[in-house]
Amino acid sequence: MINKLIRNRHTEQGIFGEFWFEGDVEPFMATLEHSYSNEPKVPVGAYLCVRGTHSLHDGVSFSTFEITGVPGHQGILFHVGNVNDDSEGCVLCGEQSKVVSITNSRKAFSDWCNRLIGVTEFILVVSDE
Protein backbone atom coordinates (compact mmCIF):
# COMPACT_ATOMS: atom_id res chain seq x y z
CA MET A 1 0.00 0.00 0.00
CA ILE A 2 1.36 3.39 -1.04
CA ASN A 3 -0.32 6.39 0.59
CA LYS A 4 0.43 10.09 0.13
CA LEU A 5 0.90 13.13 2.34
CA ILE A 6 0.58 16.21 0.15
CA ARG A 7 1.47 19.50 1.83
CA ASN A 8 -0.30 22.58 0.56
CA ARG A 9 0.51 25.34 3.04
CA HIS A 10 3.76 26.16 4.91
CA THR A 11 3.21 28.80 7.63
CA GLU A 12 4.57 29.76 11.03
CA GLN A 13 1.38 28.21 12.48
CA GLY A 14 2.18 24.83 10.96
CA ILE A 15 2.65 22.79 7.82
CA PHE A 16 -0.82 21.91 6.51
CA GLY A 17 -1.61 19.12 4.11
CA GLU A 18 -3.80 16.18 3.17
CA PHE A 19 -3.46 12.42 3.64
CA TRP A 20 -4.53 10.31 0.65
CA PHE A 21 -5.07 6.56 0.78
CA GLU A 22 -3.91 4.68 -2.31
CA GLY A 23 -6.67 4.57 -4.92
CA ASP A 24 -8.91 7.21 -3.28
CA VAL A 25 -10.22 10.06 -5.45
CA GLU A 26 -10.28 12.58 -2.60
CA PRO A 27 -8.18 13.19 0.50
CA PHE A 28 -9.05 11.13 3.58
CA MET A 29 -8.07 13.74 6.17
CA ALA A 30 -6.35 17.04 6.84
CA THR A 31 -2.88 17.01 8.40
CA LEU A 32 -0.77 19.41 10.41
CA GLU A 33 2.94 19.21 11.23
CA HIS A 34 4.99 21.50 13.47
CA SER A 35 6.59 24.40 11.62
CA TYR A 36 10.30 24.99 12.12
CA SER A 37 10.77 28.30 10.26
CA ASN A 38 8.11 27.16 7.77
CA GLU A 39 9.77 23.75 7.34
CA PRO A 40 8.72 20.31 8.67
CA LYS A 41 10.98 17.63 10.16
CA VAL A 42 10.01 15.11 7.47
CA PRO A 43 11.57 16.04 4.10
CA VAL A 44 9.87 15.33 0.80
CA GLY A 45 10.45 11.67 -0.06
CA ALA A 46 9.20 8.12 0.48
CA TYR A 47 9.14 6.47 3.92
CA LEU A 48 8.15 3.17 5.46
CA CYS A 49 5.46 3.62 8.14
CA VAL A 50 5.36 0.83 10.72
CA ARG A 51 2.60 0.08 13.23
CA GLY A 52 3.63 0.01 16.88
CA THR A 53 2.67 0.97 20.40
CA HIS A 54 3.93 4.41 21.36
CA SER A 55 3.34 7.12 23.93
CA LEU A 56 3.62 10.89 24.00
CA HIS A 57 4.52 13.15 26.93
CA ASP A 58 1.46 12.05 28.92
CA GLY A 59 2.80 8.47 29.01
CA VAL A 60 -0.47 6.92 27.75
CA SER A 61 0.27 4.12 25.26
CA PHE A 62 -1.61 3.92 21.96
CA SER A 63 -1.28 2.13 18.63
CA THR A 64 -0.22 4.21 15.64
CA PHE A 65 2.27 4.31 12.79
CA GLU A 66 5.81 5.65 12.98
CA ILE A 67 7.34 7.27 9.91
CA THR A 68 10.73 5.55 9.78
CA GLY A 69 13.91 6.57 8.00
CA VAL A 70 13.54 10.32 8.57
CA PRO A 71 17.08 11.73 8.47
CA GLY A 72 18.22 12.78 11.94
CA HIS A 73 14.93 11.91 13.63
CA GLN A 74 13.00 8.99 15.06
CA GLY A 75 9.64 8.67 16.76
CA ILE A 76 7.79 10.67 14.10
CA LEU A 77 4.20 9.48 14.60
CA PHE A 78 0.65 10.04 13.40
CA HIS A 79 -1.48 11.20 16.35
CA VAL A 80 -4.18 13.49 17.75
CA GLY A 81 -3.66 17.25 17.93
CA ASN A 82 -5.18 20.43 16.57
CA VAL A 83 -2.49 23.14 16.58
CA ASN A 84 1.20 23.59 15.77
CA ASP A 85 2.28 23.20 19.40
CA ASP A 86 0.56 19.77 19.67
CA SER A 87 3.37 18.35 17.52
CA GLU A 88 7.15 18.23 17.71
CA GLY A 89 7.38 17.04 14.12
CA CYS A 90 4.71 14.34 14.12
CA VAL A 91 1.73 14.34 11.74
CA LEU A 92 -1.50 15.45 13.39
CA CYS A 93 -4.78 14.11 12.01
CA GLY A 94 -7.89 16.25 11.46
CA GLU A 95 -11.06 16.65 9.44
CA GLN A 96 -10.58 20.19 8.11
CA SER A 97 -7.82 22.79 7.89
CA LYS A 98 -8.51 26.20 9.38
CA VAL A 99 -6.24 29.26 9.40
CA VAL A 100 -4.10 28.12 12.36
CA SER A 101 -5.47 24.65 13.22
CA ILE A 102 -7.16 21.45 12.11
CA THR A 103 -10.53 20.28 13.44
CA ASN A 104 -11.97 17.13 15.04
CA SER A 105 -8.61 15.47 15.52
CA ARG A 106 -9.78 12.63 17.78
CA LYS A 107 -12.46 11.56 15.31
CA ALA A 108 -10.16 11.87 12.30
CA PHE A 109 -7.43 9.83 14.03
CA SER A 110 -9.96 7.16 15.06
CA ASP A 111 -11.37 6.94 11.51
CA TRP A 112 -7.82 6.74 10.10
CA CYS A 113 -6.90 3.93 12.53
CA ASN A 114 -10.08 2.05 11.62
CA ARG A 115 -9.22 2.31 7.92
CA LEU A 116 -5.83 0.73 8.72
CA ILE A 117 -7.07 -2.25 10.75
CA GLY A 118 -5.00 -5.27 9.79
CA VAL A 119 -2.24 -3.17 8.17
CA THR A 120 1.20 -3.44 9.77
CA GLU A 121 3.13 -1.15 7.42
CA PHE A 122 2.73 1.06 4.39
CA ILE A 123 4.79 3.37 2.20
CA LEU A 124 4.17 7.10 2.64
CA VAL A 125 5.11 9.41 -0.21
CA VAL A 126 5.51 12.97 1.09
CA SER A 127 5.37 15.85 -1.37
CA ASP A 128 4.62 19.54 -1.63
CA GLU A 129 1.79 20.66 -3.88
Side-chain angles (χ1 to χ4, degrees), residues 13 20 25 35 54 83 115 119:
Q13 291 79 31
W20 293 72
V25 296
S35 178
H54 301 275
V83 295
R115 179 87 183 254
V119 175

Side-chain angles (χ1 to χ4, degrees), residues 52-86:
T53 301
H54 301 275
S55 63
L56 301 175
H57 298 295
D58 62 7
V60 176
S61 295
F62 64 103
S63 177
T64 191
F65 285 82
E66 178 181 359
I67 304 171
T68 65
V70 178
H73 302 286
Q74 56 186 351
I76 306 285
L77 309 174
F78 287 88
H79 65 81
V80 171
N82 295 100
V83 295
N84 191 48
D85 287 341
D86 291 338

Side-chain angles (χ1 to χ4, degrees), residues 56 62 64 77-81 86-88 90-93 105 109 112:
L56 301 175
F62 64 103
T64 191
L77 309 174
F78 287 88
H79 65 81
V80 171
D86 291 338
S87 170
E88 293 180 0
C90 295
V91 178
L92 305 177
C93 306
S105 186
F109 181 71
W112 182 77

